[in-house]
Amino acid sequence: MTGHHAGPQSNAGSNSSPSASANAFDRALESLRAGEPILVHDAADREGETDLIYHADAVTPEAVARLRNDAGGLICVALGHDIAEAFDLPFYSDVVDHPATADHELGYDDRSSFSLTVNHRDTYTGITDEDRSTTIRALGEAAAAPDETDFAEAFRVPGHVHLLKAAPDLLAQREGHTELGLALADAADLTPAVVVCEMLDDQTGEALTPADARAYADRHGFAYLEGRDVLERLR
């Protein structure tokens, strides 16, 4: 990968036409339904990052390999707020009694959406592509039937898959990749469980620029969306 961190000054993609944005949005929904990944850039004045996003049900070992090799950020599963509440999943900062959890100044948001880290109990170390895909797909299945899932019986903590807990009203409250991904899943009539992973630049170590992320999407035939296009359609 090549490129540089977008930074607050970037306005990449701002010249996309309304029709192109609408087509990209509809294509992204179709891709999620088909089990294919999509790319979503949040905003230049937020994190300024593009995430590679899958619906949790579609994450095979090969998908985990793509996430760690082509994206390179942290592989996380975002769950809808109601699902997280059904499993009694807290925000991490609310339950860890340590001074380092206090006085966060993220610069791009009011709070982190991080919850617990988990492995499915059928995994071994939990870190292999096979193990992580097992955990992720099981989380997708659990999100589809929370009343039928004993979370502690199915998963153990700590683990190698990071959970993210969405804001209750999604994009009305927060505009992070957690909420953007889950709002798209909802629009595609999919269960509220998506995988998000930041795309990094192998040359600079920074976030992949929107231009380079879009070029990656074009090379692989994946849908690319700007966060503002999602907000215009769904908020």
Side-chain angles (χ1 to χ4, degrees):
M1 296 178 189
T2 58
H4 302 284
H5 178 51
Q9 77 280 5
S10 173
N11 59 4
S14 60
N15 58 351
S16 59
S17 68
S19 60
S21 297
N23 290 338
F25 181 89
D26 292 336
R27 184 181 169 211
L29 298 189
E30 292 172 3
S31 296
L32 288 174
R33 294 186 192 109
E36 298 168 358
I38 64 172
L39 284 77
V40 178
H41 175 250
D42 60 347
D45 59 356
R46 197 179 180 281
E47 288 180 331
E49 295 173 351
T50 298
D51 278 24
L52 192 60
I53 298 176
Y54 284 85
H55 189 261
D57 289 349
V59 175
T60 61
E62 293 74 22
V64 175
R66 180 183 291 278
L67 288 161
R68 63 180 176 79
N69 287 318
D70 288 8
L74 197 61
I75 299 175
C76 302
V77 173
L79 297 174
H81 186 85
D82 289 346
I83 298 298
E85 289 285 290
F87 297 146
D88 199 25
L89 297 174
F91 287 109
Y92 186 85
S93 58
D94 288 344
V95 294
V96 175
D97 185 16
H98 190 282
T101 63
D103 300 323
H104 276 206
E105 293 184 5
L106 295 178
Y108 57 84
D109 215 326
D110 292 336
R111 73 173 302 160
S112 167
S113 59
F114 278 106
S115 182
L116 304 180
T117 61
V118 300
N119 285 342
H120 192 270
R121 291 190 182 273
D122 287 345
T123 62
Y124 186 51
T125 66
I127 194 60
T128 65
D129 292 348
E130 182 70 40
D131 278 358
R132 279 195 277 185
S133 66
T134 294
T135 297
I136 291 166
R137 287 198 307 275
L139 287 164
E141 292 170 6
D147 294 338
E148 302 171 17
T149 302
D150 184 328
F151 196 86
E153 184 177 290
F155 302 93
R156 63 179 185 268
V157 175
H160 292 84
V161 174
H162 293 259
L163 298 183
L164 305 174
K165 183 176 180 177
D169 294 325
L170 289 180
L171 297 174
Q173 289 181 279
R174 191 173 183 272
E175 299 174 5
H177 283 104
T178 296
E179 289 74 22
L180 289 165
L182 287 167
L184 287 166
D186 181 64
D189 294 321
L190 298 171
T191 53
V194 297
V195 174
V196 297
C197 185
E198 305 91 345
M199 300 199 75
L200 304 179
D201 187 314
D202 286 344
Q203 302 303 314
T204 68
E206 300 288 344
L208 201 65
T209 64
D212 286 338
R214 189 186 292 273
Y216 172 89
D218 289 344
R219 285 197 305 275
H220 294 278
F222 297 152
Y224 173 95
L225 285 175
E226 288 288 338
R228 65 174 173 273
D229 298 331
V230 182
L231 295 173
E232 288 173 1
R233 289 288 295 267
L234 298 180
R235 191 172 58 181

